[in-house]
């Protein structure tokens, strides 16, 4: 009657290489990316970087990279091992869909992955 309808969240598609570039860029600046959940070929994955221990100062020496349930202290080791069916995230030929970004602990700090502006800038047109 009033034309109100639930707002649909637009899908955020990005190439895996762009996501890895953002994670690396943050690391080079001494920042962690936090965690993001993405979907690739109908499977969910968790990826990102975080400060360990959580109360430590945010600087390169305290940043750890994560993919699924594995953690890596070195970015290049992380990049080498962050694979889906033997293919590095940075070399996937199809886009990934970011479903949650800004994950800290079990909480999602952003209401939509579009709130992470660096991801939004790299988003592919639908």
């Amino acid at each position: 009657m009033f034309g109100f309808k639930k707002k649909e969240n637009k899908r955020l598609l990005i190439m895996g290489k762009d996501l890895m570039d953002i994670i690396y860029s943050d690391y080079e600046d001494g920042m962690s990316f936090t965690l993001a959940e993405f979907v690739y070929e109908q499977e969910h994955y968790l990826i990102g970087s975080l400060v360990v221990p959580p109360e430590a100062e945010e600087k390169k020496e305290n940043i750890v990279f994560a993919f699924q349930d594995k953690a890596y202290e070195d970015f290049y080791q992380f990049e080498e091992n962050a694979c889906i069916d033997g293919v590095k995230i940075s070399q996937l030929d199809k886009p990934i869909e970011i479903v949650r970004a800004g994950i800290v602990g079990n909480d999602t700090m952003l209401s939509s992955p579009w709130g992470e502006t660096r991801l939004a800038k790299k988003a592919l047109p639908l």
Side-chain angles (χ1 to χ4, degrees):
M1 174 157 119
F2 292 104
F4 295 113
K5 63 180 182 178
K6 184 178 179 184
K7 182 179 176 183
E8 281 187 41
N9 283 338
K10 194 167 81 168
R11 296 172 62 204
L12 194 158
L13 299 175
I14 185 174
M15 294 306 294
K17 180 183 181 341
D18 291 332
L19 175 59
M20 295 299 278
D21 288 348
I22 292 169
I23 294 170
Y24 181 74
S25 174
D26 279 1
Y27 171 69
E28 281 298 302
D29 291 340
M31 301 183 317
S32 66
F33 175 74
T34 69
L35 298 175
E37 179 185 356
F38 70 89
V39 175
Y40 184 76
E41 298 202 341
Q42 301 170 350
E43 295 289 327
H44 286 254
Y45 299 91
L46 192 62
I47 192 169
S49 60
L50 52 146
V51 174
V52 175
E55 64 279 353
E57 179 182 350
E58 189 169 21
K59 60 183 184 177
K60 278 184 166 183
E61 296 80 15
N62 297 331
I63 295 174
V64 174
F65 304 93
F67 181 65
Q68 295 295 80
D69 61 348
K70 303 255 188 300
Y72 306 92
E73 292 184 10
D74 176 73
F75 177 82
Y76 299 105
Q77 182 186 29
F78 160 68
E79 184 179 39
E80 193 69 31
N81 289 287
C83 298
I84 297 174
D85 297 329
V87 179
K88 294 178 187 177
I89 301 294
S90 58
Q91 296 176 344
L92 295 172
D93 59 350
K94 296 178 191 168
I96 60 177
E97 179 182 0
I98 306 293
V99 292
R100 292 190 309 150
I103 302 170
V104 177
N106 288 329
D107 297 323
T108 303
M109 304 320 247
L110 303 170
S111 60
S112 160
W114 287 92
E116 171 47 76
T117 56
R118 293 163 305 159
L119 292 174
K121 285 180 184 174
K122 299 284 187 176
L124 301 171
L126 295 179

